[in-house]
């Protein structure tokens, strides 16, 4: 329901972060990621940020070298998802300070923690950056 | 010590992987790491567990299997420290899913963690539960979650709310417990809790209708008030997004209001003010504002309302449509489709813009605009619109052409007022994109042509001209060849000229040339060549002077490797040589097809038609072409459509076939692919023209039963019978035999499955008959029939059944509890089984108790051989 998966993919098509909210086997995931990434990477700036694929929609946006792709159900508000992607990027930016692709790669678990605070089972939980980052910062302090 | 021991930190491993230049190197590195991790797991190494798990997560993203790490997750979850637990839960959610058995082991840890004193740990557990819990876990842990819904800490409450959503999705029965708590959540102040509470209510409404009623009555006012507060609230730094406070909450509230207001005038009334306020006050220069407006418009469209709000909504959509940002336009087109059903006039005003969008460079926008345009077409604007669309067809790119062609064809058919316009448009489409045109479309075209008797001359001339210019469109060639064959004399003699036509002189030679080109082209496929052969036969009767030449062409195909063409050419040759007298009778003009039967037949066979790939017409007959991986219900549906189609066109069809001994020829002549045209009723008629008012199928029959014992005719009839029995000889066989072999052909609704002899012994037989209701694939209705095979009467017959937890069983009372002897009668009992894990095989344990000869007998048995597709 709502969000089906969230992917972060770089320009060469390598997945940097993948969070699925419905179960797909490994082969299915790789096939899916390959197809979608090819479609999105082939589009240019002027084109729409929404792509229809099978029975759901992909909302994507490119930030520097990283593509953020969110797969949603057909009845979801696409513009809201665009906002959500921006919120995600801003949150990570606040935590890592000028976040870049390498930050996500080397601190994968922290990126996941943040994402988990924001989205649960495909629904958006929390949208306040302060609230999201509190547990993550707590973890850093204790470890 | 091994340099790749688990002492490697995560970042070193990542660096090593990134340094690999080829895929093989990467695989080698990953394999070494996995081996090290496995060794470390075997040693039960405490310190590096979380590091190992982090590495496993990274490896899994790359796409390698990591199931050996699952037990590690469990151990980490069970440990006491917070970081370990954190990584353990993260690993749990990433590496496992709800179908794994390992998940059951976590239930206990989850329970303990849900009662932990540290609220962050409780939060973790809720998160994990919310993401991947299965139905059993949901059942076990739902009381804890309910309790946590009222916890003091808002973070816990919001997570508990989302967890509940998952629980009620997995186990809808538990929904009632959550209604009250959910209603109280709606009165919260904390935004996080409010968002999740709203979502919980939305899902509750979807799952249970009594929840919907409850919320409608009690909570609509509260929701409206909350929305008003948010809209009017001052700047708040925490939730601000580009000037608007918490747009997500706006949107969620609007969604919930939509669910509550749909279909209920009362609730809709209360919402109108706030909707109007949101629609007018929200700024639309930022994306967040537009998102809210979009949601607002959707809500307005869905609730019951008077005109005022709707006008507002459509104005907003109009503004969106002229926005330069592609995203906004896309969203506007989406919404306009919904709006068309409500207020078509307003949308018509934007027709020109929409037409421009069809030609946009962006693929998503094109698709949406085309669909919207399709809905907008009515009798007044169809002609100019079609003209524009056909012009665009010439310049559009390949993927889009298929869609566009299909839409144009169906529009032309729906709105064609005069036959001549219809034929013109179809000709244009065929010349441009004939390869994308589906078969039923050009069948329909031929049908219309044959009905428009005054236009025959015009049509055949137009087709001839088109044929000369564009020969690479397969369907155009087919239609042209058919028409030339039928109306060749009109073509040559310029019969029936209309005023708008230019004169054109076509000699008999030219006509025969055209057909010859069609046969000789190497790109022609089987259907076209077959049609061309028949056309030549007709021409030989209509142009007697060219018969020698025609015979020469036909003879060339005598040795063709494809059986169909070979057969046709040999038979036609015989006709030309020996049976001059009957030739003209054979190939007389086609009778006008009865419109009712044609459309009935089309309606019956339409669902089975699968869109043929462009350029390579699939010679497989309708329905059976679906690959075996298609889900079984589809196959059954398709074949069910196939069965009524042939039988609807003539009840005496099967009997007539039965009247002639056709068994050897009915076996699919496997060598060549049977031509697609063989399923085409019209082509069958092409060989037998004389019997006018009778149905298609029975005209074949009449020929068969007529006393022509000529060999040519017999072979002709076998040809037509062969042609009429497509490769799915299975349904033919069904018609002949009266009952279907193997998989039972389904009845009107739902699907039937093979009945199962669940239990058979020397004294008792239990048969299960399955059926499903069409709407709910998870529920199976079983009718159990008990037959007594012994010679004693059974009294006090009792049947009991037990099923595993993922199934739900409901037993109706039996028809009686006395079973007469030796199968004289039987008891029937209905069971209803609901499979919450649809796809998993059913198992059932049954116990049967009865009294016979004054002794009690008890039989227990486990039934495992349920059909797979239940």
């Amino acid at each position: 329901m709502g969000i089906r998966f969230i992917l972060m993919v770089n320009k060469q098509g390598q997945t940097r972060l993948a969070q699925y909210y419905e179960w797909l086997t490994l082969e299915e995931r790789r096939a899916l990621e390959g197809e979608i990434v090819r479609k999105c990477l082939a589009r240019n700036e002027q084109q729409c940020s929404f792509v229809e694929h099978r029975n759901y929609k992909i909302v994507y946006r490119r930030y520097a070298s990283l593509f953020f792709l969110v797969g949603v159900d057909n009845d979801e508000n696409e513009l809201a998802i665009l906002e959500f992607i921006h919120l995600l990027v801003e949150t990570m930016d606040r935590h890592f300070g000028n976040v870049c692709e390498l930050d996500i790669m080397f601190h994968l678990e922290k990126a996941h923690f943040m994402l988990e605070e924001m989205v649960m089972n495909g629904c958006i939980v929390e949208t306040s950056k302060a609230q999201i980052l509190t547990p993550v910062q707590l973890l850093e302090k204790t470890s | 010590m091994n340099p790749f021991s688990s002492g490697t930190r995560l970042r070193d491993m990542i660096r090593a992987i990134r340094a690999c230049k080829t895929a093989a190197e990467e695989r080698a590195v990953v394999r070494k790491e996995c081996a090290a991790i496995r060794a470390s797991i075997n040693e039960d190494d405490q310190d590096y567990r979380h590091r190992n798990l982090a590495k496993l997560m990274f490896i899994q993203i790359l796409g390698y299997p990591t199931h050996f790490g699952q037990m590690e997750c469990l151990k980490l979850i069970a440990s006491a420290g917070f970081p370990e637990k954190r990584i353990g839960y993260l690993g749990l959610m990433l590496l496992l899913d709800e179908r794994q058995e390992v998940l059951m082991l976590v239930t206990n840890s989850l329970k303990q963690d849900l009662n932990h004193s540290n609220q962050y740990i409780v939060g973790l557990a809720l998160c994990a539960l919310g993401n991947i819990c299965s139905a059993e876990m949901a059942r076990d842990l739902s009381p804890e979650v309910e309790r946590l819904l009222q916890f003091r800490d808002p973070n816990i409450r919001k997570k508990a709310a989302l967890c509940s959503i998952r629980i009620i999705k997995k186990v809808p029965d538990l929904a009632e417990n959550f209604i009250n708590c959910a209603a109280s959540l709606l009165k919260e102040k904390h935004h996080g809790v409010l968002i999740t509470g709203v979502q919980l209510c939305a899902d509750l409404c979807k799952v249970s209708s009594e929840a919907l009623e409850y919320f409608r009555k009690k909570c609509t006012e509260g929701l409206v008030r909350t929305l008003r507060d948010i809209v009017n609230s001052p700047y708040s730094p925490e939730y601000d997004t580009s000037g608007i406070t918490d747009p997500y909450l706006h949107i969620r509230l609007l969604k919930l209001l939509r669910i509550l207001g749909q279909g209920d005038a009362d609730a809709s009334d209360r919402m109108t003010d706030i909707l109007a306020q949101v629609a007018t006050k929200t700024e639309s220069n930022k994306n967040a504002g537009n998102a809210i407006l979009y949601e607002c418009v959707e809500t307005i469209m869905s609730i019951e309302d008077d005109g005022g709000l709707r006008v507002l909504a459509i104005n907003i959509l109009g503004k969106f449509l002229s926005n330069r940002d592609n995203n906004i336009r896309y969203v506007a087109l989406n919404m306009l489709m919904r709006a068309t059903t409500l207020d078509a006039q307003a949308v018509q005003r934007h027709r020109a813009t929409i037409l421009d969008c069809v030609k946009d460079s962006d693929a998503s926008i094109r698709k949406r605009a085309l669909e919207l345009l399709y809905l907008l077409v009515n009798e007044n604007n169809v002609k100019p619109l079609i003209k524009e669309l056909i012009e665009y067809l010439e310049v559009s790119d390949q993927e889009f052409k298929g869609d566009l062609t299909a839409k144009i064809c169906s529009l032309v058919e729906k709105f064609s007022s005069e036959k001549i316009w219809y034929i013109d448009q179809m000709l244009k489409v065929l010349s441009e994109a004939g390869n994308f045109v589906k078969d039923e479309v050009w069948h329909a075209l031929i049908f219309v042509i044959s009905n428009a008797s005054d236009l025959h001359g015009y049509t055949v001339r137009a087709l001839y001209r088109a044929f000369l210019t564009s020969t690479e469109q397969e369907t155009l060639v087919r239609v042209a060849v058919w028409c030339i064959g039928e109306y060749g004399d009109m073509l040559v003699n310029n019969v029936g000229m209309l005023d708008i036509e230019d004169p054109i002189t076509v000699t008999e030679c030219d006509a025969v040339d055209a057909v010859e080109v069609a046969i000789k082209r190497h790109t022609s496929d089987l259907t076209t060549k077959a049609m061309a052969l028949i056309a030549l036969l007709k021409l030989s009767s209509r142009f007697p002077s060219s018969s020698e030449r025609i015979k020469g062409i036909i003879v060339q195909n005598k040795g063709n490797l494809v059986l169909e063409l070979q057969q046709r050419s040999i038979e036609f040759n015989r006709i030309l040589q020996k049976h001059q007298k009957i030739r003209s009778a054979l190939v007389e003009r086609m009778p006008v097809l009865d419109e009712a039967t044609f459309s009935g037949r089309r309606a019956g066979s339409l669902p089975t038609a699968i869109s043929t790939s462009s350029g390579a017409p699939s010679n497989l007959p309708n329905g059976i072409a679906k690959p075996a991986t298609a889900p079984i219900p589809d196959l059954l549906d398709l074949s069910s459509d196939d069965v009524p189609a042939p039988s609807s066109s003539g009840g005496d069809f099967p009997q007539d076939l039965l009247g002639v001994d056709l068994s050897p020829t009915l076996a699919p002549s496997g060598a060549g692919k049977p031509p697609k045209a063989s399923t085409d009723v019209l082509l069958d008629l092409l060989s037998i023209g004389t019997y006018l008012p009778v149905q298609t199928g029975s005209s074949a029959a009449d020929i068969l039963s007529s006393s022509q014992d000529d060999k040519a005719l017999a072979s002709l009839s076998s040809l037509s019978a062969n042609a009429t029995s497509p490769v799915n000889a299975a349904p033919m066989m069904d018609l002949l035999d009266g009952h279907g072999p193997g998989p039972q052909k389904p009845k009107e609704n739902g699907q039937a499955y093979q009945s199962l002899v669940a239990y058979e012994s020397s004294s008792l037989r239990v048969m299960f008959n399955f059926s499903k209701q069409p709407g709910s694939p998870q529920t199976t209705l079983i009718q159990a029939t008990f037959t007594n095979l012994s010679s004693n009467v059974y009294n006090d017959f009792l049947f009991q059944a037990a099923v595993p937890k993922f199934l739900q069983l409901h037993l109706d009372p039996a028809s009686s509890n006395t079973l007469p002897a030796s199968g004289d009668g039987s008891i029937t009992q209905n069971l209803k089984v609901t499979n919450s894990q649809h796809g998993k095989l059913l198992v059932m344990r049954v116990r049967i108790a009865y009294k016979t000869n004054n002794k009690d007998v008890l039989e227990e048995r486990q039934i495992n051989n349920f059909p797979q597709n239940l």
Side-chain angles (χ1 to χ4, degrees), chain B residues 150-345:
Chain B
Q150 286 132 12
F151 205 74
R152 48 184 162 76
D153 184 57
N155 282 328
I156 303 295
R157 272 190 303 219
K158 77 182 185 214
K159 292 192 181 166
L162 276 183
C163 207
S164 329
I165 294 185
R166 188 167 175 106
I167 291 181
I168 53 181
K169 275 214 197 110
K170 288 283 165 194
V171 188
D173 303 331
L174 295 175
E176 294 101 35
N177 310 354
F178 288 100
I179 296 185
N180 283 327
C181 318
S184 59
L185 280 180
L186 287 177
K187 305 198 186 84
E188 294 274 346
K189 291 285 170 223
H190 185 266
H191 282 219
V193 187
L194 205 44
I195 279 195
T196 55
V198 167
Q199 276 175 185
L200 178 58
C201 296
D203 274 309
L204 273 173
C205 293
K206 276 192 219 143
V207 162
S208 110
S209 52
E210 56 175 64
L212 181 59
E213 286 309 312
Y214 181 83
F215 286 126
R216 230 179 230 163
K217 277 189 305 230
K218 299 272 183 73
C219 306
T220 320
E221 296 284 345
L223 283 173
V224 171
R225 228 177 309 131
T226 321
L227 186 54
R228 197 171 304 142
D229 287 340
I230 305 261
V231 170
N232 295 334
S233 70
Y235 175 75
S236 125
E238 270 204 2
Y239 288 105
D240 176 75
T241 311
S242 49
I244 304 184
T245 323
D246 210 349
Y248 305 98
L249 189 55
H250 273 108
I251 293 177
R252 288 276 162 227
L253 282 169
L254 283 169
K255 265 210 178 100
L256 183 56
L257 283 176
R258 178 162 79 227
I259 296 181
L260 292 181
Q262 211 160 17
D264 187 61
D266 223 10
S268 313
D269 269 337
R270 292 186 226 144
M271 296 179 210
T272 39
D273 290 337
I274 187 64
L275 285 175
Q277 189 183 356
V278 172
T280 42
K281 291 271 188 59
T282 321
E283 316 174 346
S284 69
N285 47 2
K286 287 285 172 65
N287 190 33
N290 284 329
I292 297 183
L293 280 175
Y294 177 37
E295 195 67 34
C296 194
V297 167
E298 266 214 51
T299 308
I300 293 180
M301 288 295 162
S302 313
I303 63 175
E304 315 293 321
D305 179 60
D306 53 354
L309 272 186
R310 294 245 171 95
V311 172
L312 196 54
I314 298 203
N315 285 344
I316 295 182
L317 285 180
K319 258 190 290 175
F320 273 8
L321 207 52
S322 37
N323 196 314
R324 266 181 316 145
D325 185 358
N326 277 343
N327 295 339
I328 312 265
R329 279 198 292 164
Y330 177 89
V331 151
L333 286 171
N334 229 351
M335 271 312 334
L336 278 174
M337 284 211 288
R338 198 87 67 77
T340 327
T341 49
L342 301 169
D343 188 359
Q345 276 308 94

Side-chain angles (χ1 to χ4, degrees), chain B residues 2-27:
Chain B
N2 187 352
F4 276 112
S5 73
S6 38
T8 328
R9 292 160 68 212
L10 176 63
R11 59 183 61 210
D12 297 330
M13 180 189 91
I14 297 180
R15 267 197 216 114
I17 292 185
R18 267 166 68 87
C20 295
K21 298 276 187 322
T22 69
E25 269 188 57
E26 184 184 297
R27 273 198 296 269

